[in-house]
């Protein structure tokens, strides 16, 4: 086998990264669905992050957990535009893990579909690349 097989490491690496990112997000959503507790929250500000010239706004929510502590956390998802339901001062519902309140989601904001997309793309790239490598090795 020549050096061409090294190029297959590129889609394999991307596939494993996407698969890991998606699986992490789906696992977090599953934990929140099973053990999560809902609370009324308020958006106190937006964290602005720039990536490749695109500006993303991540809402920062504040809520009081059942144990009486106040938490203020930024969503892991950002969007280019913020609708009126997620402006500063808006009241939203969060679902958080009572064991780790920093693990939370904002209902109506967080996107489960993105985690599913990353999982599917990662699976396709990983399985496809491994299949091609195995076929190539077996036909040498």
């Amino acid at each position: 086998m020549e050096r061409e097989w090294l190029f297959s490491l590129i889609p394999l690496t991307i596939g494993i990264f996407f698969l890991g990112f998606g699986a992490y997000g789906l696992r977090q959503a599953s934990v929140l669905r099973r053990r999560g507790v809902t609370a009324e929250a308020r958006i106190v500000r937006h964290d602005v992050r720039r990536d490749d010239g695109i500006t993303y706004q991540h809402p920062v929510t504040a809520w009081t957990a059942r144990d009486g502590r106040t938490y203020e956390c930024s969503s892991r998802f950002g969007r280019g535009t913020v609708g009126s339901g997620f402006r500063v001062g808006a009241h939203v519902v969060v679902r958080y893990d009572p064991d780790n309140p920093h693990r939370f989601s904002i209902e109506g904001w967080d996107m489960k579909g993105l985690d599913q997309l990353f999982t599917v793309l990662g699976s396709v790239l990983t399985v496809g690349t491994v299949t091609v490598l195995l076929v190539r090795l077996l036909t040498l």
Side-chain angles (χ1 to χ4, degrees), residues 41-44 59-63 71-74 92 94 104 106:
R42 189 172 55 86
I43 297 179
V44 294
V60 178
T61 57
W63 73 90
Y71 292 93
E72 189 173 298
C73 302
S74 176
V92 295
V94 295
F104 79 104
I106 303 171

Side-chain angles (χ1 to χ4, degrees), residues 98-118:
D99 296 333
N100 181 7
H102 295 283
R103 179 184 298 159
F104 79 104
S105 66
I106 303 171
E107 290 188 10
W109 179 269
D110 291 332
M111 301 171 287
K112 181 181 171 188
L114 188 63
D115 292 326
Q116 291 171 334
L117 176 67
F118 271 103

Side-chain angles (χ1 to χ4, degrees), residues 14-27 112-127:
I14 293 170
I16 290 171
F17 175 77
F18 279 13
L19 184 59
F21 182 82
Y24 171 78
L26 290 176
R27 183 180 178 284
K112 181 181 171 188
L114 188 63
D115 292 326
Q116 291 171 334
L117 176 67
F118 271 103
T119 303
V120 168
L121 285 176
S123 299
V124 168
L125 283 171
T126 302
V127 170

Side-chain angles (χ1 to χ4, degrees), residues 16-52:
I16 290 171
F17 175 77
F18 279 13
L19 184 59
F21 182 82
Y24 171 78
L26 290 176
R27 183 180 178 284
Q28 182 175 355
S30 174
V31 168
L32 288 177
R33 235 183 354 266
R34 283 183 285 121
R35 295 191 319 216
V37 177
T38 59
E40 292 290 324
R42 189 172 55 86
I43 297 179
V44 294
R45 69 177 181 281
H46 290 103
D47 284 344
V48 178
R49 300 178 191 157
R50 298 189 198 306
D51 186 20
D52 294 330

